[in-house]
């Protein structure tokens, strides 16, 4: 009988001790919760390239409606690099087709006409899905060619001067090194596309190539100069000799206009 009572007391004591221990343990426990997400301010690295006009140094490209710009020279003015027939077909047919296709697509969503071509390309996710690819390809083609015509001239060629010459030498070591890397990037572009000198988000010069009619602004880059390496840009004269076209193209490069473009973005950096 005594042993039974002792066992009951021991079990009671042990149970009470465990309950007290658990109570204190729970009071001392730290409950870990996932912190509320803190919004990280977006970096402003690409602000310089995002707010600047791209089609021209002083204005963006209107889509109300999109219009084919006039060539600033005659079709045969760039014969040192590009023949007259190619220029006529390239401008009057290919570029005109991009303009017409863009306008036709925007008829489906007329509210977009109040936005510039640059604005639409910078924010493609906001473009309705049914015309997004059309805007990317044809808006990009319109923008790229609008720049292209300006950065060539019958009086072009030679070596750059002024600010762009200094920046090219600082970045690439020499103009010859720059030309070599630019031509290599143009030659390495598989299929159709463009080769560009751009200013990146760090305000540095950079050589890139892009597929199809993609504009560098899709990647937050500001295009200073670019060469079209689609076959329609050179095939009548050069056939499959893209490298020869790339070499000859330097004879019509408009360094004055390229300096204007370089200075606009440089001043904003």
């Amino acid at each position: 009988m005594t042993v039974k009572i002792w066992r009951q007391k021991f079990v009671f004591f042990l149970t009470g001790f465990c309950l007290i221990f658990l109570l204190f343990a729970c009071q001392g426990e730290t409950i870990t919760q996932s912190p509320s997400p803190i919004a990280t301010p977006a970096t402003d690295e690409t602000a310089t390239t995002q707010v600047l006009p791209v089609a021209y140094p002083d204005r963006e490209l209107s889509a109300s409606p999109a219009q084919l710009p006039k060539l600033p020279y005659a079709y045969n003015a760039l014969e040192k690099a590009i023949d007259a027939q190619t220029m006529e077909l390239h401008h009057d047919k290919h570029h005109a087709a991009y303009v017409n296709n863009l306008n036709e697509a925007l008829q489906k969503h007329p509210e977009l006409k109040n936005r510039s071509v640059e604005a639409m390309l910078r924010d493609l996710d906001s473009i309705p899905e049914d015309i997004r690819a059309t805007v990317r390809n044809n808006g990009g083609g319109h923008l790229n060619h609008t720049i292209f015509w300006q950065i060539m001239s019958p009086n072009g060629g030679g070596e750059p001067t002024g600010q762009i010459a200094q920046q090219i030498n600082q970045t690439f070591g020499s103009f010859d090194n720059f030309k070599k890397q630019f031509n290599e990037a143009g030659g390495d572009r598989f299929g159709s596309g463009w080769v560009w000198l751009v200013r990146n988000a760090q305000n540095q010069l950079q050589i890139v190539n892009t597929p199809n009619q993609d504009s560098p602004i899709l990647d937050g880059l500001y295009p200073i100069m670019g060469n079209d390496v689609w076959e329609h840009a050179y095939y009548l004269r050069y056939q499959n000799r893209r490298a020869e076209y790339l070499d000859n193209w330097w004879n019509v490069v408009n360094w004055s206009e390229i300096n204007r473009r370089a200075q606009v973005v440089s001043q904003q950096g």
Side-chain angles (χ1 to χ4, degrees), residues 71 73-91 145 148-149 151-154 194 226-238 244-253:
L71 279 179
Y73 33 72
Y75 295 129
N76 64 353
L78 305 181
E79 285 281 358
K80 289 184 289 186
I82 305 171
D83 60 278
Q85 187 179 9
T86 293
M87 286 299 301
E88 184 174 2
L89 291 171
H90 198 168
H91 177 267
H145 284 87
F148 189 53
W149 310 133
I151 61 165
M152 297 186 294
S153 168
W194 291 74
N227 192 1
D228 189 347
V229 295
W230 281 64
E231 288 187 343
H232 66 236
Y234 62 87
Y235 206 78
L236 291 181
R237 174 182 288 186
Y238 299 98
E244 185 179 345
Y245 160 71
L246 289 167
D247 283 336
N248 286 344
W249 183 74
W250 296 101
N251 293 320
V252 296
V253 171

Side-chain angles (χ1 to χ4, degrees), residues 126-137:
S126 70
I127 304 301
E129 189 173 358
D130 62 320
I131 65 166
R132 189 176 301 158
T134 301
V135 169
R136 177 175 186 158
N137 294 331

Side-chain angles (χ1 to χ4, degrees), residues 27-202:
Q27 288 178 341
E29 181 181 2
T30 300
I31 300 176
T32 304
Q33 295 180 344
S34 299
S36 299
I38 300 174
T40 303
T43 60
D44 200 31
E45 286 184 340
T46 59
T48 297
T49 57
Q50 287 180 347
V51 299
L52 292 173
V54 175
Y56 303 94
D58 58 349
R59 67 188 188 278
E60 293 190 338
L61 196 56
S62 173
S64 183
Q67 294 183 339
L68 180 68
K70 293 182 179 179
L71 279 179
Y73 33 72
Y75 295 129
N76 64 353
L78 305 181
E79 285 281 358
K80 289 184 289 186
I82 305 171
D83 60 278
Q85 187 179 9
T86 293
M87 286 299 301
E88 184 174 2
L89 291 171
H90 198 168
H91 177 267
D92 293 5
K93 301 301 181 182
H94 291 282
H95 190 173
Y98 299 130
V99 171
N100 294 336
N101 291 339
L102 178 62
N103 284 330
E104 184 178 347
L106 295 180
Q107 291 294 334
K108 303 176 183 177
H109 300 277
E111 71 280 1
L112 295 175
K113 294 180 183 181
N114 295 324
R115 301 172 64 180
S116 68
V117 174
E118 287 97 324
M120 287 188 282
L121 292 175
R122 288 180 181 125
D123 192 15
L124 275 175
D125 287 344
S126 70
I127 304 301
E129 189 173 358
D130 62 320
I131 65 166
R132 189 176 301 158
T134 301
V135 169
R136 177 175 186 158
N137 294 331
N138 294 277
H142 182 27
L143 178 60
N144 292 346
H145 284 87
T146 298
I147 297 170
F148 189 53
W149 310 133
Q150 297 174 72
I151 61 165
M152 297 186 294
S153 168
N155 301 317
E159 296 195 6
T161 58
Q163 183 181 30
I164 191 63
Q166 297 173 8
Q167 294 175 350
I168 284 174
N169 288 334
Q170 290 172 358
T171 304
F172 302 99
S174 70
F175 177 57
D176 286 340
N177 285 340
F178 165 65
K179 280 178 59 177
K180 179 182 178 183
Q181 293 180 39
F182 192 91
N183 285 356
E184 287 176 349
D188 289 344
R189 175 75 261 164
F190 183 79
S192 300
W194 291 74
V195 55
W196 302 93
L197 175 67
V198 301
R199 195 175 295 280
N200 61 25
Q202 291 73 43

Side-chain angles (χ1 to χ4, degrees), residues 5 9 24 53 129 173 203 212 225 231:
I5 294 174
K9 288 182 177 182
F24 277 101
E129 189 173 358
N203 204 27
N212 303 315
M225 60 179 286
E231 288 187 343

